Amino acid sequence: MIKLVVVTMFIFSMLLPLPVTESSSTYAEMGEQYYLEKNYETSVECFDKALELDPQNTCSLEYLGKYFMENKNLDKAELYFTKLLEIEPENEYALKSLGKIHLSNEEYDKALYCYNKLLKIDNSVGKTWFYKGICLKMLGNYDESVEAFDKSTGDYETLVLTWNDLGYIYYQNGEYEKAIECFDKALKLDGNLKYSLNGKGLCYEKKELYDRAIECFDKAVCQDECYYDAIYNKGISCYKLEKYSVAISCYEKALALNNSNSYCYFYKADSLKNLGEYEKAVLNYKKAIELDSENPVFWSGLGLSYNYLNEYNFSIRSYEKAVELNPKDDISWSNLGYLYYKTEKYNESIPCFEKAIELHSNNKYAWNGLGNSYVLLKNYEKALICYEKAIEIDPLYKEPKISKSSISK
């Protein structure tokens, strides 16, 4: 019987050795020692015992918070670090840990509070500025986040991509100069970052600096010859510069990589139309419409190409679809009016021109077309009024002047 008691006491002592003097600090010291020896279960028992004796034992609170954080139990870790801060409001370890926990939980306002407190203690730590910048960025305070990142020394790759992300945020908000600054900061760290080169090009494109935009897109493609976005965007800049042959080449490369972008077909079609290759243009407008049949711009482009091919019935159908999809487009109404006029449907052309004028009273082409329609209906009085209005809008517009003088004779 005596031997059994001795064995039981020995087993218990292996689980949690009793200190000579039972106190909170002694248990905490034992817990720390076991933790360093990676005997975590026993160390946690010691820290728990220490807190039973003294709920304000900061050593135990810190180690328990650390233990649960390392084991991904963030709720328990947060509980211990919060208690630690109640006792020591400027405990840097607790503030850093709570900041990371809040970031992980996407509680950016709470995380920001922690990093701001840390910076009050020591504002020279670049890592703290980095995390503050992340919080501000996620909260939408982009200008303040830029200031924070300027002082930061975060993980190199993450910092590069953060500057790049900020650049695109400013770009989407229409703040192109700020966007360029962010892309430049990303490129200062990584001069070959294709995403920032493309983003910078997009900014120049919006500023109508198309040559500079093309330089950026070309540099991006040098980094990745299959980078679809840069190839497509270069096509847009070339199109804006009326370099239609180069634009077509870009769109063909882009379509070889991804043939699901309706606008890629549209801009290729528009470039072909501007080069007078109307049959090829029609084929590409149709491809764009296959991908997005509800886009009135695609139908208008198709209608204009059919018009140049003298396929007036197909052109009329295309413009009818365009005004059905967008009844507020005065240009499409005006063009539809001219097509009815060309096919001698004068009674149908007049409502189209009137609709165009209703939408945009200074549409000189609609006034001229309306005048032409009235002439062919022998309503010369109304025709003269229309021609005079077209000339009033544009005194250099020759067609209504010629038509007016012929009526006067």
Side-chain angles (χ1 to χ4, degrees), residues 193 282 292 296:
L193 188 65
V282 164
D292 182 4

Side-chain angles (χ1 to χ4, degrees), residues 103 126-127 129-135 137-138 145 148-150 152-167 169 182 185-187 189-190 193 195-196:
L103 267 179
K127 198 81 171 177
W129 283 107
F130 174 76
Y131 286 123
K132 178 179 179 177
I134 293 290
C135 295
K137 175 192 160 193
M138 299 308 295
S145 71
F149 286 126
D150 269 332
S152 71
T153 54
D155 172 72
Y156 169 79
E157 186 177 345
T158 306
L159 191 53
V160 171
L161 293 177
T162 298
W163 281 121
N164 181 70
D165 289 345
L166 275 168
I169 289 168
C182 291
K185 285 174 180 177
L187 290 167
L189 295 168
D190 182 355
L193 188 65
Y195 308 110
S196 290

Side-chain angles (χ1 to χ4, degrees), residues 63-338:
Y63 270 100
L64 285 170
K66 182 179 179 181
Y67 170 78
F68 286 113
M69 193 164 179
E70 288 175 352
N71 284 276
K72 311 299 181 187
N73 190 336
L74 299 185
D75 289 340
K76 276 197 170 183
E78 182 181 354
L79 180 66
Y80 285 111
F81 287 129
T82 301
K83 286 181 179 177
L84 178 55
L85 278 182
E86 289 173 2
I87 302 164
E88 295 180 357
E90 294 191 353
N91 187 296
E92 293 184 43
Y93 188 83
L95 286 167
K96 287 177 186 176
S97 301
L98 278 174
K100 288 180 180 178
I101 291 169
H102 293 316
L103 267 179
S104 177
N105 291 333
E106 298 181 3
E107 298 171 322
Y108 301 112
D109 51 346
K110 291 182 179 179
L112 182 60
Y113 172 81
C114 294
Y115 294 122
N116 278 333
K117 286 201 73 172
L118 281 166
L119 289 168
K120 283 183 180 180
I121 299 167
D122 183 357
N123 66 0
S124 67
V125 183
K127 198 81 171 177
T128 309
W129 283 107
F130 174 76
Y131 286 123
K132 178 179 179 177
I134 293 290
C135 295
L136 289 165
K137 175 192 160 193
M138 299 308 295
L139 289 168
N141 299 332
Y142 304 122
D143 289 352
E144 290 182 53
S145 71
V146 166
E147 292 175 12
F149 286 126
D150 269 332
K151 299 174 184 177
S152 71
T153 54
D155 172 72
Y156 169 79
E157 186 177 345
T158 306
L159 191 53
V160 171
L161 293 177
T162 298
W163 281 121
N164 181 70
D165 289 345
L166 275 168
Y168 276 101
I169 289 168
Y170 279 126
Y171 168 76
Q172 288 163 1
N173 290 339
E175 299 180 80
Y176 305 122
E177 287 297 335
K178 288 182 179 179
I180 289 171
E181 286 178 19
C182 291
F183 289 131
D184 280 338
K185 285 174 180 177
L187 290 167
K188 188 176 180 180
L189 295 168
D190 182 355
N192 297 325
L193 188 65
K194 64 180 182 180
Y195 308 110
S196 290
L197 289 166
N198 179 65
K200 193 174 175 181
L202 286 171
C203 293
Y204 284 133
E205 187 177 276
K206 289 293 186 181
K207 289 163 67 68
E208 299 183 4
L209 299 170
Y210 300 117
D211 286 325
R212 294 180 73 176
I214 289 169
E215 286 177 18
C216 294
F217 297 136
D218 279 339
K219 287 178 181 177
V221 173
C222 281
Q223 302 308 315
D224 180 358
E225 61 182 13
C226 294
Y227 186 22
Y228 173 86
D229 288 352
I231 296 168
Y232 171 78
N233 291 331
K234 180 184 175 180
I236 299 293
S237 289
C238 291
Y239 173 87
K240 297 289 187 181
L241 289 172
E242 299 182 6
K243 297 179 179 179
Y244 299 120
S245 296
V246 182
I248 290 167
S249 175
C250 292
Y251 298 131
E252 286 174 347
K253 288 178 184 175
L255 288 167
L257 294 167
N258 175 11
N259 63 1
S260 64
N261 184 347
S262 59
Y263 272 97
C264 202
Y265 282 110
F266 167 75
Y267 280 114
K268 183 185 174 186
D270 234 40
S271 299
L272 287 162
K273 180 196 72 184
N274 288 323
L275 290 174
E277 298 187 49
Y278 304 121
E279 290 181 357
K280 290 182 181 178
V282 164
L283 292 174
N284 281 276
Y285 283 125
K286 285 183 175 179
K287 285 281 189 182
I289 288 167
E290 281 177 22
L291 292 167
D292 182 4
S293 61
E294 300 298 301
N295 192 317
V297 177
F298 297 172
W299 286 102
S300 294
L302 180 62
L304 191 54
S305 292
Y306 273 133
N307 173 61
Y308 288 134
L309 289 168
N310 298 322
E311 298 275 2
Y312 298 130
N313 288 329
F314 286 124
S315 185
I316 286 170
R317 288 176 202 165
S318 300
Y319 275 114
E320 284 176 341
K321 185 65 177 178
V323 296
E324 177 191 325
L325 292 168
N326 182 13
K328 294 186 177 181
D329 179 12
D330 65 297
I331 300 297
S332 290
W333 279 111
S334 182
N335 288 346
L336 182 57
Y338 271 104

Side-chain angles (χ1 to χ4, degrees), residues 20-39:
V20 177
T21 305
E22 189 176 21
S23 69
S24 173
S25 59
T26 307
Y27 276 113
E29 287 172 10
M30 287 172 57
E32 189 172 2
Q33 184 60 41
Y34 281 120
Y35 199 94
L36 293 172
E37 293 171 1
K38 298 184 179 180
N39 187 348

